[in-house]
Amino acid sequence: MPDQPSEASRPPEEPRGADTPPTPEPPAAAEAAGTPAANEPGPSEARTAGATPTDTARPSPAQASDGRRQRAQAAQQAGQPGSPWQHGAGAPVAKDDGMTARLRPPPPPLIRPAVLGSVLATALLSALFLSDGLAVNLLIVAVPAALAAFFAAQAAGRRLRPWTATWAVGGLALLAVPALRDAGWPTFLAVVSAFALGSLALHGSRSWPGVLIGSLGLFDSVVPGVIWGVRGIRARASGSRANWGATLRTTGVALVLLVVFGTLFASADAAFAELLGSLMPEASVGAGPWRALLFALGLTGALAAAHAAAAPVRWDGLTVRPGKPRGRAEWALPLIVLNLLFAAFITLQLVVLFGGYDKVRDVTGLSHAEYARQGFWQLLWATLLTLLVIALALRWAPRGGTGDRTLVRSVLGPLCVLTLVVVASALRRMDLYVDEYGLTRLRISVAAMELWLGVVLILILAAGVFGARFLPRAVAVSAAAGVLAFGLLSPDGLIAEQNVQRFEDGRSTSIDIDYVKDLSADAVPALDRLPEPERSCALRIIQNDVLHDDTPWYATSWGEARAKEILEKRPVKGDGSDCYRVGREGTRDGYEPDDDGYDPY
């Protein structure tokens, strides 16, 4: 099923103004629905649109033939290749319609009570739960915001598409990372990616400009969303003041009953009082301004999401014109030379990939650290530049016919395969370095980045075989899946596990206490296996943060709760005076402790 956002339905009681351009449903979406395009004129409408009293006579066959020819030409011009938002036949864009007219949808219908209720719930939950940190409270706040967007899209007549569901489910899954992990850096990546996927779910973009801009397109709906909400509240409040009064009275009575009976039950049973106190957010006068700001942010964000769901901006209307096609020899010769250079480099790399460290030392005379530092960053940049070369080559590739397509595939296909070997060589260098000196946050991050670039190259190869229609969305999905996997695997936990394992296996005479003590609570299960005094030295700072923090349940991650349980059973020992020399013997990352050399890893 093609993934194009459904058009917002126009309420029959709100006629379109004279200055509002026609915005038809894309032909692909109309075909999928089994109905004609939304703005395709019917027989009577085509005869009467723009008619004057002298034009109502039945046209002659010649005039009808000319009209059909003109409409066909207009439809061909409107349906140029490369633009996923094509106007239906018989409804060409007027000459004075600019870019805004192509991107802007029709106004959304009047905001519904279900949308208003969900928006208000999002604002209240934001004020109550987001002031103490990020954990499962993000999911709690995201659910009513997603419901507001769903109700708004339903009221506007949009249908749920497979890709829309993919973006929405992926965004909610990414919000599970803060609920599971205590580390701040994977949490930040997950939250940013969840915002991008949520924006794509609201806009339904599929082209390169649409995916890139649509991932940030929610900001465009902030001001229109607030205006839309205010107008909707005014319109509904003016006609149903009695209902609003009844709602306020009902809410007030319910709150009074909850406070009175909750206080009585809490005073009657200490266990119930403790449970109630742990579940309810703490309300204080000092936190009032901060909670008011969170209320405003939640309200504005939910209104923006609902407005984008009801009237999404058509970022796919932004098209990039292809470059001027080059001749076959002019285009292919530089790329063939580049392929030969890659092949020569990779031939030498195969010795390293399959020979191990002994071969590295025999061939180059370098140690693990020297060999990895010498080439990893260069290979990473080579991978990035190769992707840029492929993008530019596709822009200026010859497009004459089947022969040109075969030439493009036969030149760029080997380049992608050779670059994959470069990716494998870079990862092998990093593996040699980590095996010798342990894992760090920077090392695991750049290795994950290099691995994702390899996935992108595989997707480009698949697009060359099966077509590039889904390539922008596939790349976005791969990036989001990588961020989700990165967070779920707990990078701080992996770093601690790998370093502790090296220490237990005897591959390292000491563990870098100065580094592991600054890891998050996710590292506690692995660091708990260390012998004393290394264990207490590594966990002292984490214990102070975990045990002396009174963060409520909704702002506590699973990793932090697990670390708290471990440290309560086995607290650290000593006062830390014996930690000054622990973990500082021997070499550190390939350098002597007093060496001033800089290690980029």
Side-chain angles (χ1 to χ4, degrees):
M1 180 184 294
D3 178 47
Q4 293 177 341
S6 303
E7 300 297 334
S9 61
R10 300 183 182 87
E13 67 274 9
E14 297 180 6
R16 187 170 60 228
D19 57 344
T20 304
T23 53
E25 183 177 355
E31 292 175 4
T35 58
N39 286 322
E40 186 174 355
S44 60
E45 184 181 355
R47 288 195 300 270
T48 60
T52 62
T54 59
D55 296 332
T56 55
R58 185 180 183 88
S60 63
Q63 291 174 341
S65 177
D66 293 341
R68 286 193 297 269
R69 187 181 301 110
Q70 292 175 0
R71 287 193 296 272
Q73 292 176 356
Q76 292 177 359
Q77 294 175 358
Q80 293 177 354
S83 175
W85 292 99
Q86 298 175 357
H87 291 273
V93 180
K95 292 183 179 180
D96 58 347
D97 287 343
M99 180 63 67
T100 304
R102 284 200 303 155
L103 301 181
R104 288 292 177 185
L110 189 66
I111 190 169
R112 290 190 173 181
V115 179
L116 286 174
S118 300
V119 168
L120 183 59
T122 304
L124 290 174
L125 292 176
S126 299
L128 292 175
F129 292 120
L130 294 184
S131 61
D132 298 298
L134 300 181
V136 71
N137 49 7
L138 273 179
L139 275 173
I140 295 175
V141 172
V143 169
L147 288 176
F150 174 76
F151 293 142
Q154 191 178 45
R158 293 187 66 187
R159 291 170 294 173
L160 183 64
R161 304 282 182 172
W163 275 102
T164 302
T166 301
W167 301 130
V169 173
L172 292 176
L174 283 165
L175 292 181
V177 173
L180 297 175
R181 304 298 171 217
D182 179 58
W185 53 303
T187 294
F188 173 78
L189 292 175
V191 172
V192 172
S193 301
F195 176 86
L197 283 160
S199 184
L200 288 175
L202 297 173
H203 293 88
S205 303
R206 65 178 186 177
S207 64
W208 282 113
V211 170
L212 292 176
I213 303 177
S215 61
L216 302 174
L218 191 59
F219 291 109
D220 185 80
S221 300
V222 171
V223 176
V226 173
I227 297 174
W228 176 57
V230 170
R231 290 177 177 174
I233 292 175
R234 287 179 178 178
R236 296 192 178 277
S238 61
S240 57
R241 293 184 179 179
N243 294 335
W244 283 101
T247 302
L248 291 176
R249 288 192 299 271
T250 303
T251 305
V253 171
L255 288 176
V256 170
L257 292 176
L258 285 175
V259 171
V260 171
F261 284 94
T263 304
L264 290 175
F265 290 149
S267 60
D269 190 285
F272 181 79
E274 183 179 356
L275 176 63
L276 191 63
S278 62
L279 292 179
M280 295 300 295
E282 181 181 356
S284 61
V285 178
W290 175 235
R291 292 186 185 275
L293 177 60
L294 291 175
F295 180 89
L297 290 177
L299 185 71
T300 304
L303 282 174
H307 184 273
V313 180
R314 301 168 180 171
W315 296 114
D316 280 334
L318 297 174
T319 57
V320 179
R321 294 182 180 179
K324 180 181 179 181
R326 306 296 179 180
R328 292 186 178 182
E330 179 186 1
W331 179 85
L333 184 59
L335 295 175
I336 292 175
V337 172
L338 183 62
N339 279 341
L340 294 176
L341 178 63
F342 269 65
F345 175 78
I346 288 169
T347 301
L348 296 178
Q349 292 300 298
L350 293 177
V351 177
V352 177
L353 286 173
F354 300 107
Y357 173 62
D358 294 336
K359 279 292 183 181
V360 173
R361 185 171 51 191
D362 294 340
V363 174
T364 64
L366 301 176
S367 65
H368 282 107
E370 293 170 338
Y371 184 77
R373 284 196 299 269
Q374 187 188 57
F376 176 81
W377 291 104
Q378 289 87 339
L379 296 182
L380 177 62
W381 278 108
T383 306
L384 291 170
L385 290 177
T386 302
L387 292 174
L388 178 62
V389 168
I390 292 173
L392 295 177
L394 289 173
R395 178 174 175 80
W396 289 305
R399 297 183 289 271
T402 305
D404 289 336
R405 289 194 295 270
T406 303
L407 174 65
V408 171
R409 292 175 179 175
S410 60
V411 172
L412 294 184
L415 181 60
C416 290
V417 174
L418 294 172
T419 309
L420 281 174
V421 183
V422 172
V423 171
S425 177
L427 292 175
R428 175 58 174 165
R429 288 172 184 255
M430 180 55 69
D431 179 65
L432 290 172
Y433 194 84
V434 168
D435 185 67
E436 187 74 13
Y437 299 113
L439 196 60
T440 63
R441 287 175 172 176
L442 181 58
R443 294 167 196 168
I444 194 174
S445 299
V446 295
M449 177 68 178
E450 185 75 19
L451 186 62
W452 175 69
L453 292 177
V455 174
V456 172
L457 288 168
I458 294 175
L459 292 176
I460 294 175
L461 284 171
V465 176
F466 302 105
R469 178 183 179 186
F470 296 105
L471 183 60
R473 290 177 290 188
V475 171
V477 167
S478 68
V483 172
L484 179 60
F486 191 71
L488 295 180
L489 288 176
S490 182
D492 276 11
L494 287 178
I495 293 169
E497 177 68 31
Q498 199 268 351
N499 284 277
V500 171
Q501 189 65 44
R502 291 179 65 253
F503 181 74
E504 292 176 343
D505 295 342
R507 286 179 289 166
S508 176
T509 58
S510 63
I511 188 168
D512 191 351
I513 299 296
D514 282 342
Y515 187 84
V516 298
K517 70 180 182 181
D518 292 327
L519 296 176
S520 66
D522 299 329
V524 169
L527 297 178
D528 185 55
R529 304 204 315 261
L530 289 171
E532 294 292 350
E534 283 85 357
R535 177 187 179 275
S536 294
C537 294
L539 294 177
R540 188 173 305 279
I541 295 178
I542 302 176
Q543 176 175 283
N544 292 335
D545 294 337
V546 171
L547 296 186
H548 300 160
D549 190 8
D550 55 350
T551 304
W553 65 271
Y554 51 81
T556 302
S557 65
W558 178 71
E560 190 175 0
R562 184 175 57 169
K564 185 176 182 180
E565 180 181 358
I566 292 174
L567 292 173
E568 285 178 343
K569 292 180 179 179
R570 295 182 57 199
V572 299
K573 301 177 181 179
D575 57 358
S577 59
D578 54 349
C579 297
Y580 289 106
R581 295 300 301 173
V582 172
R584 293 174 173 83
E585 297 84 1
T587 61
R588 178 182 178 185
D589 284 355
Y591 293 99
E592 295 295 333
D594 296 331
D595 191 3
D596 293 331
Y598 171 67
D599 180 14
Y601 301 108

